[in-house]
């Protein structure tokens, strides 16, 4: 049973569906919206609707895009010989922020995870292989997460891509560049030690 | 190092209880179902992050409350550390060390390792192989974060792979990357586990000899990784094990497809106790099995000291009534070696009076 008037109860219900929002946060958000003026409530509602109406996946790399192609794919200055493969659109943002990468992306929309019912068919793996197949690609850099699922996805893709004659690399995981050893957690440091290379 | 104070808030049957244990021996006395084991469990959770009862974390929250809190003051070399673990009714947990929030359980635990001995452990020698494997791995997790991470990742890989075999009728292409992961993580788990087990076995053999005058205890590790070894003295390198696992996975693929489960890897390895060369599972008497369990726990205490140079706390839940006089003395004797010890018991008659004179006795009453 709800103690709230029906419209508030409905708003609470919707807010609680959002990730990371529990009953208490939902209440806080709902009351903030109630207290604010109508114009700002409309701005919020419009922004939500607009993002749903205008944003879709880039037809080439499956990054978020406003037009048919995303901003990266439509930028003529990008190096299209190198594709960086990531799990989610937010990973594109993370790599763009480094300013180190001038190539293009391919967003898989997740990682292989049988526990969650996700296999290669549920991801944009086929599309990546097709992209490589059309030629002109020299290297793919696999930047999936350094966890069990990300590693498996990287292995899976590298087995498919290598026979196509492209260079396949994996971003190094381990110590953050510029980070002090002192602040690296033991697991990271342990992995970095185990994966040490001859110099 | 030792636990200076423990505060339990809406944890199981305790609404709000503060305990200030002795740096030596603390005896929790009381009838059954008064919450003695809950204190032992709380001490294990706050030091290692685990509970021997393996509850879902919402099960420890007192009825009607939305979270349970355990806070321990650990007296270290020089400064004190305050560890706090909050368990919520949605089964999530929150960790704090000296007030600052930690993201992972491993960041808040292992500051003071612990060794737990409960009546269930008396089956160590005869119980399923899984019990003996987790006994080693649980200790490893407390001693090395890398060990813990490898163990967690490996068991996740096996779960993924078992689903592929059971539900997806996966193709070789689908299985291949998981094979690589089983081999790379499995080989590391194997090496970590064998190295730790070898240390435990050494101490356990010595302890068993002291306790029994007679038969000799030895420990064998039979791998299911294709290495065909059972001696802990063989030195096995990770890359050798990795190759063996990969080769075994290939040769047993049809078997795995028929049985729809991952059959190769350290999650299937066997740890076997031998008494004078005879398999303890079929050969040992009940008394001998108990002595093996006891020798093992004593060995764990020494291994912790060897590896991380800390004395662990020793938690003995209701095992005193199961052991005879001399075996009880072997356990409580660790107090003299600066091992902070907690014992729960229904009857103080199980202890000699000299020991009780020095112990802090906490009585729990009928509710």
């Amino acid at each position: 049973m709800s103690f709230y008037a029906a419209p508030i109860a409905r708003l609470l219900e919707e807010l609680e569906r959002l990730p990371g929002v529990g009953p208490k946060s939902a209440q806080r958000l709902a009351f903030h919206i109630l207290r604010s003026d109508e114009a700002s409530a409309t701005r919020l509602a419009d922004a939500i609707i607009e993002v749903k109406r205008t944003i879709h996946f880039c037809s080439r790399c499956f990054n978020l895009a406003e037009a048919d192609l995303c901003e990266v794919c439509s930028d003529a200055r990008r190096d299209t010989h190198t594709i960086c493969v990531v799990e989610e659109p937010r990973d594109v943002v993370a790599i763009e922020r480094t300013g180190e990468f001038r190539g293009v992306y391919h967003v898989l929309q997740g990682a292989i995870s049988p526990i969650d019912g996700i296999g290669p068919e549920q991801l944009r793996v086929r599309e990546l292989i097709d992209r490589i197949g059309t030629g002109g690609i020299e290297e793919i850099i696999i930047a999936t997460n350094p966890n069990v699922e990300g590693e498996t996805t990287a292995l899976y893709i590298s087995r498919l891509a290598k026979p196509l004659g492209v260079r396949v690399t994996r971003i190094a995981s381990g110590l953050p560049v510029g980070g002090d050893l002192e602040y690296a957690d033991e697991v990271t440091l342990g992995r970095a030690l185990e994966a040490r290379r001859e110099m | 190092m030792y636990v200076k104070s423990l505060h339990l808030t809406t944890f199981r049957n305790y609404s709000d209880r503060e305990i200030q244990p002795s740096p030596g021996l603390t005896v929790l006395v009381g009838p059954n179902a008064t919450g003695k084991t809950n204190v032992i469990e709380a001490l294990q959770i706050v030091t290692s992050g685990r509970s021997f009862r393996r509850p879902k974390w919402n099960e420890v929250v007192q009825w009607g409350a939305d979270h349970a809190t355990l806070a321990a003051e650990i007296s270290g070399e020089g400064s004190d550390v305050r560890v706090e673990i909050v368990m919520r009714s949605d089964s999530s947990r929150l960790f704090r060390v000296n007030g600052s929030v930690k993201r992972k359980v491993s960041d808040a635990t292992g500051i003071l390792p612990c060794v737990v001995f409960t009546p269930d452990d008396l089956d160590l020698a005869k119980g399923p192989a899984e019990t003996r494997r987790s006994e080693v791995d649980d200790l490893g997790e407390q001693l090395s974060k890398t060990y813990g991470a490898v163990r967690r990742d490996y068991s996740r890989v096996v779960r993924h792979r078992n689903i592929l075999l059971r539900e997806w009728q996966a193709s070789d292409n689908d299985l291949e990357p998981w094979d690589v992961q089983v081999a790379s993580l499995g080989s590391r788990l194997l090496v970590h586990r064998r190295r730790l087990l070898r240390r435990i076995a050494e101490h356990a053999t010595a302890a068993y000899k002291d306790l029994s005058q007679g038969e000799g205890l030895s420990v064998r590790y039979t791998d299911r990784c294709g290495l065909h070894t059972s001696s802990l003295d063989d030195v096995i390198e990770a890359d050798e094990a990795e190759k063996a696992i990969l080769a075994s996975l290939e040769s047993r693929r049809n078997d795995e497809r028929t049985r729809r489960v991952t059959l190769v890897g350290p999650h299937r390895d066997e740890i076997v106790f031998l008494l004078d060369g005879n398999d303890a599972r079929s050969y040992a008497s009940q008394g001998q099995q108990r002595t093996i369990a006891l020798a093992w726990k004593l060995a764990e205490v020494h291994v912790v000291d060897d590896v991380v140079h800390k004395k662990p706390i020793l938690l003995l839940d209701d095992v005193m009534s199961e052991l005879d006089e001399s075996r009880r003395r072997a356990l409580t004797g660790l107090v003299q070696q600066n091992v902070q010890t907690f014992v729960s018991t229904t009857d103080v008659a199980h202890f000699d009076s000299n020991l009780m004179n020095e112990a802090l006795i906490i009585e729990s009453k009928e509710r």
Side-chain angles (χ1 to χ4, degrees):
Chain A
M1 192 189 88
S2 172
F3 296 101
Y4 294 110
I8 304 176
R10 214 182 105 210
L11 177 60
L12 284 171
E13 206 183 295
E14 290 302 326
L15 289 171
E16 274 182 51
R17 282 177 216 252
L18 299 175
V21 178
K24 279 183 186 165
S25 310
Q27 236 175 57
R28 202 160 52 233
L29 293 170
F31 280 104
H32 173 84
I33 293 168
L34 271 174
R35 268 196 307 271
S36 59
D37 54 36
E38 198 178 327
S40 54
T42 311
R43 273 201 307 276
L44 175 63
D46 285 349
I48 294 172
I49 292 164
E50 196 191 344
V51 83
K52 280 311 290 178
R53 285 206 184 125
T54 58
I55 302 294
H56 50 264
F57 295 121
C58 169
S59 63
R60 191 177 296 160
C61 76
F62 304 96
N63 187 13
L64 297 175
E66 221 173 328
D68 178 44
L69 290 180
C70 71
E71 286 194 22
V72 176
C73 286
S74 54
D75 183 345
R77 292 164 301 174
R78 305 290 295 217
D79 168 16
T80 54
H81 303 297
T82 311
I83 298 179
C84 179
V85 180
V86 296
E87 292 181 17
E88 302 286 348
R90 61 169 180 263
D91 301 329
V92 172
V93 177
I95 293 176
E96 281 300 285
R97 276 207 191 112
T98 66
E100 291 292 326
F101 182 65
R102 299 303 302 154
V104 291
Y105 292 93
H106 190 88
V107 183
L108 293 169
Q109 313 282 355
I112 296 176
S113 179
I115 291 173
D116 304 305
I118 299 172
E121 300 75 26
Q122 279 71 40
L123 304 170
R124 302 291 186 176
V125 174
R126 186 74 259 151
E127 289 84 347
L128 173 64
I129 302 304
D130 290 346
R131 264 178 98 182
I132 299 170
T134 56
I137 312 284
E138 283 158 17
E139 178 180 1
I140 64 168
I141 302 170
I142 306 179
T144 49
N145 293 334
N147 55 22
V148 161
E149 293 78 16
E151 287 302 336
T152 304
T153 310
L155 285 164
Y156 186 86
I157 290 172
S158 88
R159 307 233 153 182
L160 292 180
K162 270 187 187 159
L164 302 175
V166 289
R167 184 169 170 231
V168 181
T169 55
R170 175 91 172 102
I171 55 160
S173 74
L175 296 176
V177 180
D180 281 331
L181 272 189
E182 201 184 337
Y183 298 115
D185 70 84
E186 287 92 312
V187 174
T188 313
L189 198 51
R191 276 200 191 124
L193 268 173
E194 277 182 302
R196 67 188 184 277
R197 294 202 176 87
E198 210 74 53
M199 286 185 77
Chain B
M1 293 175 91
Y2 67 97
V3 177
K4 230 163 117 178
S5 75
L6 174 71
H7 198 143
L8 307 93
T9 317
T10 53
F11 177 82
R12 296 209 185 260
N13 70 325
Y14 293 99
S15 302
D16 184 23
R17 176 81 192 257
E18 165 116 11
I19 289 168
Q20 274 158 347
S22 152
L25 177 65
T26 302
V27 181
L28 306 154
V29 192
N32 288 322
T34 51
K36 302 184 300 293
T37 300
N38 296 345
V39 175
I40 299 279
E41 182 188 33
L43 285 160
Q44 188 192 7
I45 293 173
V46 89
T47 50
S48 73
R50 284 183 168 267
S51 160
F52 62 88
R53 288 164 156 172
R54 304 185 186 274
K56 292 196 190 82
W57 294 114
N58 59 358
E59 291 166 9
V60 305
V61 180
Q62 197 173 62
W63 204 82
D66 70 349
H67 63 274
T69 308
L70 297 173
E73 206 75 53
I74 295 169
S75 163
E77 297 101 16
S79 63
D80 290 0
V81 184
R82 184 181 166 81
V83 179
E84 246 182 290
I85 300 191
V86 180
M87 288 141 286
R88 303 200 191 89
S89 50
D90 63 358
S91 282
S92 67
R93 294 197 291 174
L94 175 80
F95 314 95
R96 276 193 214 102
V97 177
N98 290 335
S100 66
V101 174
K102 302 288 169 189
R103 203 165 50 87
K104 286 179 294 186
V105 55
S106 58
D107 292 330
T109 54
I111 295 162
L112 175 56
C114 78
V115 172
V116 193
F117 194 5
T118 76
D120 285 345
D121 293 321
L122 296 166
D123 295 332
L124 186 68
K126 220 164 199 160
E130 163 67 23
T131 322
R132 289 180 290 281
R133 284 191 300 263
S134 9
E135 192 66 32
V136 183
D137 293 345
D138 286 352
L139 185 67
E141 198 169 283
Q142 286 197 69
L143 300 181
S144 148
K145 289 188 187 185
T146 312
Y147 194 137
V150 168
R151 177 198 195 186
R152 270 190 305 279
D153 283 357
Y154 177 74
S155 68
R156 202 166 163 79
V157 165
V158 172
R159 272 177 63 205
H160 277 305
R161 198 172 178 278
N162 285 345
I163 286 177
L164 279 181
L165 286 166
R166 199 172 56 234
E167 289 163 26
W168 292 39
Q169 273 115 40
S171 67
D172 284 352
N173 270 345
D174 287 333
L175 283 171
E176 215 183 349
W178 294 108
D179 293 358
V180 174
Q181 299 261 63
V182 167
S184 86
L185 289 161
S187 58
R188 282 153 67 197
L189 179 59
L190 175 100
V191 169
H192 277 295
R193 190 194 279 156
R194 282 179 51 100
R195 207 186 291 154
L196 180 60
L197 178 61
R198 195 174 162 200
R199 279 176 183 270
I200 302 174
E202 233 167 75
H203 283 289
T205 303
Y208 191 91
K209 203 171 160 199
D210 285 347
L211 290 163
S212 72
Q213 300 100 34
E215 324 90 353
L217 172 73
S218 56
V219 182
R220 215 159 59 181
Y221 188 90
T222 311
D223 75 276
R224 298 278 182 274
C225 300
L227 288 158
H228 310 293
T229 160
S230 56
S231 164
L232 286 168
D233 293 330
D234 297 342
V235 179
I236 290 168
E237 301 289 343
D239 43 355
E240 176 192 350
E242 189 171 353
K243 281 184 200 127
I245 294 174
L246 273 179
S248 285
L249 281 168
E250 198 166 329
S251 68
R252 300 206 61 188
R253 173 125 313 167
N254 286 337
D255 250 3
E256 288 195 326
R257 285 202 188 284
T258 322
R259 294 178 51 189
R260 297 174 157 208
V261 65
T262 302
L263 297 169
V264 177
H267 65 293
R268 308 284 286 205
D269 291 354
E270 262 285 7
I271 296 167
V272 182
F273 296 113
L274 300 176
L275 286 181
D276 283 346
N278 300 303
D279 191 330
R281 283 173 299 189
S282 46
Y283 172 85
S285 70
Q286 200 182 24
Q288 286 168 323
Q289 285 178 47
R290 290 180 172 202
T291 308
I292 293 174
L294 173 58
W296 180 276
K297 292 295 170 176
L298 294 170
E300 285 191 7
V301 172
H302 292 299
V303 168
V304 171
D305 197 2
D306 279 2
V307 176
V308 291
H309 309 296
K310 288 176 189 172
K311 303 276 186 187
I313 59 168
L314 180 60
L315 307 173
L316 308 172
D317 183 45
D318 229 358
V319 284
M320 291 319 221
S321 57
E322 309 280 344
L323 301 169
D324 67 19
E325 178 71 39
S326 65
R327 285 168 178 64
R328 289 203 291 266
R329 217 174 295 131
L331 273 174
T332 49
L334 287 167
V335 175
Q336 267 80 49
Q337 297 174 39
N338 295 322
V339 175
Q340 186 184 28
T341 305
F342 295 82
V343 185
S344 76
T345 184
T346 46
D347 190 355
V348 285
H350 294 133
F351 299 86
D352 68 55
S353 49
N354 287 338
L355 199 61
M356 287 305 275
N357 287 339
E358 287 179 25
L360 170 74
I361 297 165
I362 297 175
E363 293 198 37
S364 55
K365 295 175 193 71
E366 215 105 36
R367 276 187 291 165

